[in-house]
Amino acid sequence: MMSSTFDTVANIIAETCDIPRDTIKPESHAIDDLGIDSLDFLDIAFAIDKAFGIKLPLEQWTQEVNDGKATTEQYFVLKNLCARIDGLVAAKGA
Amino acid sequence: MRIEYFQLIDRIVDLDLDARTIRVDAQVPDESTIFEGHFPGHPLMPGVLLIEAMAQTSGWLVIAATKFERMPFLAAVKAAKLRSFVIPGQLLSITAKLLHDGSGYAVTKAAVTVAGKATCDAELTLRVMPFPDPRLRQNMEEVAARIGFPSKALAHG
C-alpha cells in the first residue's frame, strides 16, 4: 500500500511541479528539499484529493504547525504524507 | 457592474448547492474610463476583467457553499480562453461549477456567454480562508444583499 501511495504522490509532484521524478524520495521534505511553495502545493493537494478520493485536512495541518503543535516534517516529508493519505483512505473505507 | 470598484457581478440568477453551480448576470457599462484607454476607437472589456468576473462568480458559489464563513481569494487561473471580444453595453451571463471543495481551497470551472455565445472560460483555484477583517465580511454582506444572494434560503437549507 505504502509504496504505491508513494509512487502516485511522487508522480503527481513530478508532473505538477516539473521536478525530475528520480529526485523525489520518501525522505524528501516537500517544502525544504523539493522547494514546493504553498500555491504549487494546492495543485498537488487537488491531484491527491482526486486520486485517492479524500480531502487532505490542509487547514488543520497549517493551524497545528502555526500553533507549534506539529512540525512541518510530520506532514510534508513524503513518507509521512503518504502514511497520512493511507490513514485517510482507510478511514474512508471504515 | 461597478467596474471601477471591481464589483463586477450585478445579480445572482441561479444558485444550486446540490449541483454546486451558480449563474449570474453582469452588465458591461456603456461608458468607463477603462474603455478610453482600452482601446481608443476600439473599446473592449479587458480580458483580465473577464477572468476577474469569473473569479467573483466562483467566489459567490464558494461563499454560499461555506455559508458565509469563508472568504475566497483568487490563487490560480488555468486554461483561460478569451474566445471573442466583449464590448461596452453587453450583458454577460457567467456560470461556475465547483469541481472540488478542498481544505482551504476550491477549484471551479467558469464560463462567460454573451447572447448564448461562448465568450471565455477558465479553471480557477481559490484560496478559502476565514474573513481576515470584519469590515471585509460586512462589505461582502452588503454586496450580497445588493446582488440577490439567497441568504435566507441558505440559512434554512
Side-chain angles (χ1 to χ4, degrees), chain A residues 38 43 49 56 58-59, chain B residues 70 78 100-101 103 105 127:
Chain A
S38 67
D43 281 340
D49 283 359
L56 289 179
L58 297 181
E59 284 183 297
Chain B
R70 292 280 194 280
K78 292 178 187 161
H100 186 62
D101 174 25
S103 171
Y105 74 100
R127 286 186 193 278

Side-chain angles (χ1 to χ4, degrees), chain A residues 22-65:
Chain A
D22 57 6
T23 65
I24 302 170
K25 311 288 189 192
E27 295 75 27
S28 302
H29 189 301
I31 301 164
D32 297 344
D33 295 329
L34 301 178
I36 296 167
D37 71 7
S38 67
L39 181 58
D40 281 335
F41 200 82
L42 288 189
D43 281 340
I44 293 167
F46 180 36
I48 289 174
D49 283 359
K50 276 196 298 187
F52 293 96
I54 58 174
K55 185 165 166 174
L56 289 179
L58 297 181
E59 284 183 297
Q60 179 193 331
W61 292 357
T62 303
Q63 191 67 46
E64 289 173 10
V65 169

Side-chain angles (χ1 to χ4, degrees), chain B residues 109-132:
Chain B
K109 174 79 179 175
V112 179
T113 59
V114 175
K117 183 184 175 194
T119 301
C120 62
D121 45 81
E123 184 181 300
L124 306 173
T125 303
L126 306 165
R127 286 186 193 278
V128 182
M129 58 182 70
F131 281 87

Side-chain angles (χ1 to χ4, degrees), chain A residues 68-86:
Chain A
K69 294 175 181 167
T71 63
T72 60
E73 285 76 11
Q74 290 174 253
Y75 298 124
F76 296 106
V77 168
L78 297 187
K79 63 182 178 185
N80 297 338
L81 176 65
C82 290
R84 291 179 189 281
I85 291 170
D86 287 344

